[in-house]
């Protein structure tokens, strides 16, 4: 089964396997430490109309007496090295799931793509409003490069998230962003060479660098009992022309990518 995500935000981190460092900004500040698990459904690969179901753990830990933390959801994680309530900066990693065991009769004739490890940096700014109705806004960006030989250049994302309380036990999160990829990245996952075109029956396709998708997510988390929290999330990706014009997407897949997930986690201070 494909990597899904964890906890109440299973859906948003599921998208990390599609190349979005989606977990950035997911957990609100009232959840400093978490161990959880979630299940979800997501596209088999970016641009696919096929879906798969999976389940994985999620972890967040805040170092005692500081604002430094580490978090890992599904295939993606990051560490904040700055002891600040407003600024976050540190290394980030992502295990990008490859493309294999495809059911589509045309895409299955394209070469498989191996799972590969990516690493880079993530930074963000957080504003917390402490009025009668407290809320938290976080904006940031990440930039990753491949540690293997699957592609070269950068895969970068800019994101924003907002958390507001609906009651003392229920919190609503909204977020969104966009992803930019180098030509090497885009052609690795959406390109079709002349040789691959002859083998698959799909038209050849090559693209330059640029924005490849926009995305948005809602999440709802709630306190169940004691230290136990649960929730539900969704993640929507709209592939742009850099990716959507590929026959992998336009002829055999879908530029509108949906992911859903639910989960449960144990939270402590």
């Amino acid at each position: 089964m494909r990597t899904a995500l964890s906890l109440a935000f299973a859906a948003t981190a599921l998208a990390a396997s599609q190349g979005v460092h989606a977990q950035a900004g997911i957990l609100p500040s009232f959840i400093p430490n978490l161990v959880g698990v979630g299940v979800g459904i997501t596209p088999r690969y970016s641009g696919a109309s096929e879906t798969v179901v999976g389940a994985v753990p999620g972890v967040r830990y805040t170092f005692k007496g500081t604002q430094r933390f580490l978090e890992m959801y599904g295939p993606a994680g990051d560490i904040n090295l700055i002891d600040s309530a407003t600024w976050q900066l540190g290394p980030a990693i992502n295990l990008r799931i490859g493309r294999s065991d495809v059911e589509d009769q045309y895409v299955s004739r394209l070469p498989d793509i191996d799972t590969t490890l990516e690493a880079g940096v993530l930074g963000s700014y957080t504003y917390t409003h402490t009025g009668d109705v407290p809320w938290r806004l976080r904006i940031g960006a990440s930039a990753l490069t491949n540690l293997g030989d699957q592609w070269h250049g950068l895969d970068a994302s800019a994101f924003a998230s907002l958390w507001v309380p609906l009651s003392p036990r229920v919190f609503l999160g909204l977020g969104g962003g966009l992803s930019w990829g180098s030509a090497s990245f885009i052609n690795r996952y959406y390109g079709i060479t002349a040789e691959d075109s002859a083998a698959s029956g799909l038209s050849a396709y090559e693209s330059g660098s640029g924005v490849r998708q926009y995305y948005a997510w809602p999440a709802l988390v709630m306190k169940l009992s004691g230290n136990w929290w649960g929730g539900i999330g969704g993640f929507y990706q709209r592939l742009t022309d850099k990716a959507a014009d590929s026959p992998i997407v336009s002829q055999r897949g879908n530029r509108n990518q949906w992911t859903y997930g639910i989960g449960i986690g144990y939270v402590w201070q």
Side-chain angles (χ1 to χ4, degrees), residues 227-250:
N227 292 70
W228 291 97
W229 289 67
I232 186 170
F235 197 95
Y236 169 70
Q237 296 165 272
R238 172 75 172 180
L239 300 180
T240 68
D241 56 352
K242 296 297 181 182
D245 288 346
S246 168
I248 296 172
V249 181
S250 62

Short mmCIF file of all heavy atoms in Angstrom, two decimals, residues 227-250:
data_model
loop_
_atom_site.label_atom_id
_atom_site.label_comp_id
_atom_site.label_asym_id
_atom_site.label_seq_id
_atom_site.Cartn_x
_atom_site.Cartn_y
_atom_site.Cartn_z
N ASN A 227 -6.02 12.79 27.14
CA ASN A 227 -4.95 13.21 26.24
C ASN A 227 -5.18 12.74 24.80
O ASN A 227 -4.29 12.91 23.95
CB ASN A 227 -3.60 12.66 26.73
CG ASN A 227 -3.15 13.31 28.02
OD1 ASN A 227 -3.72 13.07 29.07
ND2 ASN A 227 -2.12 14.12 27.94
N TRP A 228 -6.32 12.19 24.53
CA TRP A 228 -6.57 11.66 23.20
C TRP A 228 -7.30 12.67 22.33
O TRP A 228 -8.31 13.25 22.73
CB TRP A 228 -7.38 10.37 23.30
CG TRP A 228 -6.60 9.24 23.89
CD1 TRP A 228 -6.59 8.82 25.18
CD2 TRP A 228 -5.67 8.41 23.19
NE1 TRP A 228 -5.73 7.78 25.35
CE2 TRP A 228 -5.14 7.50 24.14
CE3 TRP A 228 -5.24 8.33 21.87
CZ2 TRP A 228 -4.21 6.54 23.80
CZ3 TRP A 228 -4.31 7.36 21.53
CH2 TRP A 228 -3.80 6.48 22.49
N TRP A 229 -6.75 12.87 21.14
CA TRP A 229 -7.34 13.78 20.15
C TRP A 229 -7.57 13.01 18.86
O TRP A 229 -6.88 12.04 18.56
CB TRP A 229 -6.42 14.96 19.87
CG TRP A 229 -6.33 15.94 21.01
CD1 TRP A 229 -5.77 15.72 22.24
CD2 TRP A 229 -6.80 17.27 21.01
NE1 TRP A 229 -5.87 16.85 23.01
CE2 TRP A 229 -6.49 17.83 22.28
CE3 TRP A 229 -7.45 18.08 20.07
CZ2 TRP A 229 -6.81 19.14 22.62
CZ3 TRP A 229 -7.76 19.38 20.40
CH2 TRP A 229 -7.45 19.90 21.68
N GLY A 230 -8.55 13.45 18.09
CA GLY A 230 -8.82 12.85 16.80
C GLY A 230 -9.19 13.92 15.80
O GLY A 230 -9.35 15.09 16.14
N GLY A 231 -9.31 13.53 14.57
CA GLY A 231 -9.69 14.51 13.57
C GLY A 231 -9.81 13.94 12.18
O GLY A 231 -9.67 12.74 11.95
N ILE A 232 -10.06 14.86 11.25
CA ILE A 232 -10.28 14.49 9.86
C ILE A 232 -9.72 15.61 9.00
O ILE A 232 -9.73 16.78 9.38
CB ILE A 232 -11.78 14.26 9.60
CG1 ILE A 232 -12.00 13.73 8.18
CG2 ILE A 232 -12.58 15.54 9.85
CD1 ILE A 232 -13.44 13.25 7.94
N GLY A 233 -9.18 15.24 7.85
CA GLY A 233 -8.61 16.25 6.96
C GLY A 233 -8.78 15.90 5.51
O GLY A 233 -9.02 14.74 5.14
N GLY A 234 -8.67 16.91 4.66
CA GLY A 234 -8.72 16.72 3.22
C GLY A 234 -7.63 17.53 2.56
O GLY A 234 -7.16 18.54 3.13
N PHE A 235 -7.20 17.12 1.38
CA PHE A 235 -6.13 17.83 0.68
C PHE A 235 -6.45 17.85 -0.81
O PHE A 235 -6.69 16.79 -1.41
CB PHE A 235 -4.79 17.14 0.92
CG PHE A 235 -3.61 18.00 0.58
CD1 PHE A 235 -2.98 18.74 1.55
CD2 PHE A 235 -3.13 18.05 -0.72
CE1 PHE A 235 -1.88 19.55 1.23
CE2 PHE A 235 -2.05 18.84 -1.05
CZ PHE A 235 -1.42 19.59 -0.07
N TYR A 236 -6.46 19.05 -1.40
CA TYR A 236 -6.77 19.20 -2.83
C TYR A 236 -5.56 19.78 -3.55
O TYR A 236 -4.98 20.77 -3.10
CB TYR A 236 -7.97 20.11 -3.02
CG TYR A 236 -8.19 20.53 -4.46
CD1 TYR A 236 -8.64 19.60 -5.40
CD2 TYR A 236 -7.95 21.83 -4.87
CE1 TYR A 236 -8.83 19.97 -6.72
CE2 TYR A 236 -8.14 22.21 -6.19
CZ TYR A 236 -8.58 21.27 -7.12
OH TYR A 236 -8.77 21.64 -8.42
N GLN A 237 -5.17 19.15 -4.66
CA GLN A 237 -4.09 19.64 -5.49
C GLN A 237 -4.61 19.89 -6.90
O GLN A 237 -5.24 19.02 -7.50
CB GLN A 237 -2.95 18.61 -5.55
CG GLN A 237 -2.28 18.36 -4.21
CD GLN A 237 -1.45 17.08 -4.28
OE1 GLN A 237 -1.96 15.99 -4.04
NE2 GLN A 237 -0.18 17.21 -4.62
N ARG A 238 -4.31 21.08 -7.43
CA ARG A 238 -4.67 21.43 -8.81
C ARG A 238 -3.38 21.54 -9.62
O ARG A 238 -2.60 22.47 -9.44
CB ARG A 238 -5.42 22.76 -8.82
CG ARG A 238 -5.70 23.33 -10.21
CD ARG A 238 -6.81 22.62 -10.92
NE ARG A 238 -7.17 23.31 -12.17
CZ ARG A 238 -8.12 22.90 -12.99
NH1 ARG A 238 -8.81 21.80 -12.70
NH2 ARG A 238 -8.38 23.56 -14.10
N LEU A 239 -3.14 20.57 -10.48
CA LEU A 239 -1.93 20.57 -11.27
C LEU A 239 -2.01 21.64 -12.35
O LEU A 239 -3.04 21.80 -13.01
CB LEU A 239 -1.71 19.20 -11.91
CG LEU A 239 -1.56 18.01 -10.95
CD1 LEU A 239 -1.35 16.73 -11.73
CD2 LEU A 239 -0.41 18.24 -9.99
N THR A 240 -0.91 22.41 -12.54
CA THR A 240 -0.87 23.45 -13.55
C THR A 240 -0.41 22.87 -14.88
O THR A 240 -0.15 21.66 -15.00
CB THR A 240 0.09 24.57 -13.13
OG1 THR A 240 1.44 24.05 -13.16
CG2 THR A 240 -0.22 25.06 -11.72
N ASP A 241 -0.27 23.74 -15.88
CA ASP A 241 0.09 23.27 -17.21
C ASP A 241 1.44 22.55 -17.25
O ASP A 241 1.66 21.68 -18.08
CB ASP A 241 0.08 24.41 -18.23
CG ASP A 241 0.98 25.57 -17.83
OD1 ASP A 241 1.51 25.55 -16.70
OD2 ASP A 241 1.16 26.48 -18.65
N LYS A 242 2.37 22.90 -16.34
CA LYS A 242 3.67 22.23 -16.33
C LYS A 242 3.51 20.73 -16.12
O LYS A 242 4.26 19.93 -16.66
CB LYS A 242 4.56 22.81 -15.23
CG LYS A 242 4.92 24.27 -15.44
CD LYS A 242 5.72 24.48 -16.71
CE LYS A 242 6.11 25.93 -16.89
NZ LYS A 242 6.85 26.16 -18.15
N ALA A 243 2.53 20.35 -15.31
CA ALA A 243 2.25 18.94 -15.05
C ALA A 243 1.00 18.47 -15.77
O ALA A 243 0.95 17.36 -16.30
CB ALA A 243 2.11 18.70 -13.56
N ALA A 244 -0.03 19.32 -15.80
CA ALA A 244 -1.33 18.90 -16.32
C ALA A 244 -1.32 18.65 -17.82
O ALA A 244 -2.14 17.88 -18.32
CB ALA A 244 -2.39 19.94 -15.97
N ASP A 245 -0.40 19.29 -18.57
CA ASP A 245 -0.35 19.09 -20.01
C ASP A 245 0.29 17.76 -20.39
O ASP A 245 0.22 17.35 -21.55
CB ASP A 245 0.41 20.24 -20.68
CG ASP A 245 -0.39 21.53 -20.69
OD1 ASP A 245 -1.60 21.47 -20.41
OD2 ASP A 245 0.19 22.59 -20.96
N SER A 246 0.92 17.09 -19.44
CA SER A 246 1.51 15.79 -19.72
C SER A 246 0.40 14.79 -20.04
O SER A 246 -0.63 14.75 -19.35
CB SER A 246 2.30 15.29 -18.51
OG SER A 246 2.63 13.93 -18.65
N PRO A 247 0.57 13.95 -21.05
CA PRO A 247 -0.44 12.92 -21.34
C PRO A 247 -0.67 11.98 -20.16
O PRO A 247 -1.75 11.38 -20.07
CB PRO A 247 0.17 12.16 -22.53
CG PRO A 247 1.05 13.17 -23.20
CD PRO A 247 1.63 13.99 -22.08
N ILE A 248 0.31 11.84 -19.27
CA ILE A 248 0.11 11.02 -18.07
C ILE A 248 -1.07 11.55 -17.27
O ILE A 248 -1.83 10.79 -16.66
CB ILE A 248 1.39 11.03 -17.21
CG1 ILE A 248 2.55 10.37 -17.97
CG2 ILE A 248 1.17 10.34 -15.87
CD1 ILE A 248 3.89 10.51 -17.27
N VAL A 249 -1.22 12.88 -17.30
CA VAL A 249 -2.30 13.53 -16.55
C VAL A 249 -3.50 13.82 -17.45
O VAL A 249 -4.63 13.45 -17.14
CB VAL A 249 -1.80 14.84 -15.91
CG1 VAL A 249 -2.92 15.51 -15.12
CG2 VAL A 249 -0.60 14.57 -15.02
N SER A 250 -3.26 14.50 -18.59
CA SER A 250 -4.36 14.97 -19.43
C SER A 250 -5.12 13.85 -20.12
O SER A 250 -6.33 13.95 -20.35
CB SER A 250 -3.82 15.96 -20.47
OG SER A 250 -2.88 15.32 -21.33
#
